[in-house]
Amino acid sequence: MMLHRRTTLLGGVALAAIGAASTARAQLTIDMTRPSFEPVPIAIVDFKGDAVGAQMAGVIRNNLQNCGLFRVIPSGSYIQKDVDATSPPRFQDWRSVGAAGLVVGQVTSVGGNIKVDFRLWDVVTSQQATGLSFTSQPNNWRRLAHIISDAIYKRVTGEEGYFDTRVAYVSETGPANARVKRIAIMDQDGANNRYITDGKTLALTPRFSPTLQELVYMAYGENNGPPRVYLQNVDSGRRELLGNFPGMSFAPRFSPDGSKVVMSIAENGRTNIYEMDVRGRQLRRLTNSPAIDTSPCFSADGAQIVFNSDRGGTQQLYVMSAGGGGERRISFGEGRYATPVWSPRGDFIAFTKISAGSFGIGVMRADGSGERMLANGFLVEGPTWAPNGRVLMFFRQQPSSGGRAGSATLHQVDITGRFERQVPTPTDASDPAWSPLIPQ
C-alpha cells in the first residue's frame, strides 16, 4: 500500500497520513446523537517491532475501553495470531470473533528516534478506515498511543478525541485535622503524575491556561495568611501573585484566549467578580452586589460568563456579559447550584447541585433548560470538561471517620450519564481541571 505523506514536525512528533480507501463508514461508526447505542467491538493487536509496541497497544486498549464507546475484544479469542502491520489482515478471521474494527501497528528504530505506523481496518467492509505514521523520540511512546487513540475515536465517532490531554488536580494526604493539599498534574489516564506545589500551604482550584503552559490557582499565604490567586508556569515552576488585595481572592479561571483571569475578591463583607489582564495586571470589577458572587467561567466564545450567587436568597446560577452587566438567573430547580463550568462546545453548562442533603453533578443548556443529573452521592463536586465537550471529570468524597479524612477520588462520566469510571491517582484527589488537547 502506498504512503501518502503530509509530513510536518509538530512538538517533536513527525506525522504523516497513510493512504486510506474512501469507503462507507456505517459499520464502524457511532452516532453519538442517538439516545442509545452499542459499544463498537474492536480488536487491538500488540504493535510489532520495538519493545514499546505492546505497551502502546495496552494504552490504546485502556483509552478506548474506558471511554465506554468501544468494547475491546480479548486477545485470547484471536484466530489470526500473527498480523502483518503492512498488509491487509484475514478479515474473515476477525469477523468470526465479532470485531467491527482492527487496530494494527509497527514500531521501528530510525536513528535515535522511533517510527510508528498504525492502521485501523474496517473489518465489515474489508477496507482500511484510517492510518497514520509518526516519528518521535522514544520517550514519547505513551503520548503517541494517546494520539492514535484520538485518531481512532474521531474516525468512529466523528468527534475530536480527548486522550492526549492532562489533568491538574488537588492531591490530598494526611489526617482530617492536618490535611496536606498540593497541586499535581498527570495524563488523563493517571500516568506521569508530578507535583506543582510543595504542600507547605494549602493550594486549591487549579485551572489551565489555553496553552497549557500556565496554571492559576488559589493558595493560602505563609503563616495562615489569607488566600490569594497565583499564576504559575507549569514547566519552570515560576510563580507570581495575581494582585495583592486587602481581602481574599479565589476561584480563578482563564478567558478562552488566555489574556485575562476572572476571580472572586472578598472585601468589606461583599464578594464580587473581577477580571484581571494577565500581562498588564489591570483589574476591573464585573459585578457589584451585596451578595456572594463566585465561581465565574467564560463561555467558549468569551462573550459571556456564568457564575453562582446568593443574591436571590439561595445559591443559584447566573449568566452575564463578559464585560459585566445583563445578569440573568438560569437555574430554577430544587436546591442550590454551584461551580458552573461552560462546555468547550458552548452547548451545556455543568454544575454541582445540593438538594435534600445530597450532592450531584448535572448539566443544563446555556438558557437553563434541559437540566439533567449525571452522578449523585454523599459529596460529588467540581465538574470539569474534556476538550471535546463529551465527557466530564469530577470528584467523590466519602464521610470522615475516626479522625481520618474520607477518601476523595476522581471520576469520569459521559454526558449521557451511562459510563462512569474512577480515574487512578497515587493519593486522594479532588477538584480536577481538564486541559485542552496538547499542542502537536
Side-chain angles (χ1 to χ4, degrees), residues 202-226:
L202 290 180
L204 306 168
T205 62
R207 303 291 181 254
F208 278 105
S209 70
T211 63
L212 280 75
Q213 295 176 342
E214 295 170 311
L215 285 173
V216 285
Y217 58 88
M218 183 198 82
Y220 284 81
E222 300 289 342
N223 302 315
N224 295 317

Side-chain angles (χ1 to χ4, degrees), residues 183-440:
I183 308 299
I185 294 179
M186 64 182 183
D187 295 349
Q188 56 79 28
D189 61 352
N192 295 322
N193 189 84
R194 63 189 178 103
Y195 296 100
I196 300 300
T197 60
D198 58 16
K200 292 179 181 178
T201 61
L202 290 180
L204 306 168
T205 62
R207 303 291 181 254
F208 278 105
S209 70
T211 63
L212 280 75
Q213 295 176 342
E214 295 170 311
L215 285 173
V216 285
Y217 58 88
M218 183 198 82
Y220 284 81
E222 300 289 342
N223 302 315
N224 295 317
R228 296 280 188 261
V229 170
Y230 292 89
L231 174 73
Q232 183 163 334
N233 185 284
V234 171
D235 294 323
S236 70
R238 182 173 180 270
R239 187 171 90 157
E240 305 172 53
L241 180 65
L242 278 185
N244 189 15
F245 310 112
M248 300 186 298
S249 56
F250 55 98
R253 194 178 293 270
F254 280 99
S255 61
D257 65 1
S259 66
K260 303 177 182 69
V261 169
V262 285
M263 69 184 90
S264 290
I265 298 177
E267 186 177 8
N268 299 324
R270 297 183 174 193
T271 300
N272 281 295
I273 294 171
Y274 289 76
E275 170 192 275
M276 175 173 278
D277 180 88
V278 172
R279 302 308 165 202
R281 295 296 198 268
Q282 293 92 352
L283 186 69
R284 183 164 66 123
R285 186 168 63 187
L286 301 181
T287 65
N288 187 9
S289 165
I292 298 174
D293 297 340
T294 189
S295 301
C297 178
F298 281 94
S299 59
D301 62 4
Q304 300 178 85
I305 292 174
V306 63
F307 63 100
N308 61 254
S309 174
D310 62 357
R311 60 179 62 191
T314 61
Q315 193 172 341
Q316 300 293 331
L317 302 186
Y318 293 79
V319 170
M320 66 177 174
S321 165
E327 297 98 331
R328 64 188 185 280
R329 179 175 165 179
I330 62 169
S331 62
F332 294 94
E334 296 286 337
R336 294 176 289 131
Y337 295 77
T339 63
V341 189
W342 220 304
S343 164
R345 301 166 67 94
D347 51 355
F348 289 109
I349 292 171
F351 55 85
T352 302
K353 186 174 183 178
I354 308 98
S355 180
S358 178
F359 284 69
I361 300 294
V363 294
M364 64 173 65
R365 299 204 174 273
D367 62 1
S369 65
E371 178 181 323
R372 52 195 170 85
M373 303 306 296
L374 306 179
N376 293 279
F378 166 75
L379 176 57
V380 294
E381 196 172 1
T384 181
W385 289 97
N388 69 353
R390 291 295 186 182
V391 183
L392 287 161
M393 191 177 294
F394 61 96
F395 74 94
R396 289 184 177 274
Q397 184 154 4
Q398 303 303 317
S400 300
S401 176
R404 295 173 127 188
S407 64
T409 51
L410 303 186
H411 294 255
Q412 286 182 14
V413 65
D414 75 306
I415 58 171
T416 70
R418 292 176 61 189
F419 311 112
E420 182 183 329
R421 75 174 188 96
Q422 183 175 333
V423 180
T425 54
T427 66
D428 281 1
S430 61
D431 206 3
W434 218 319
S435 80
L437 284 170
I438 300 172
Q440 295 185 10

Side-chain angles (χ1 to χ4, degrees), residues 50 54 87 90 108 143 165 204 232 242 252 313:
D50 193 278
S87 59
R90 299 198 303 263
T108 54
R143 187 177 173 210
T165 57
L204 306 168
Q232 183 163 334
L242 278 185

Side-chain angles (χ1 to χ4, degrees), residues 28-106:
L28 196 60
T29 301
I30 290 178
D31 183 356
M32 297 178 70
T33 65
R34 294 173 56 188
S36 63
F37 48 80
E38 291 299 318
V40 171
I42 191 167
I44 303 167
V45 178
D46 285 351
F47 287 13
K48 287 183 169 294
D50 193 278
V52 300
Q55 295 172 287
M56 290 185 68
V59 171
I60 297 167
R61 290 188 196 103
N62 287 338
N63 282 339
L64 298 185
Q65 182 74 42
N66 288 337
C67 78
L69 302 181
F70 297 83
R71 176 173 59 82
V72 175
I73 295 174
S75 59
S77 64
Y78 296 172
I79 297 172
Q80 184 179 5
K81 302 295 185 182
D82 187 18
V83 185
D84 187 341
T86 62
S87 59
R90 299 198 303 263
F91 289 107
Q92 185 55 49
D93 288 353
W94 298 100
R95 294 186 196 107
S96 297
V97 300
L102 170 65
V103 178
V104 298
Q106 180 169 300

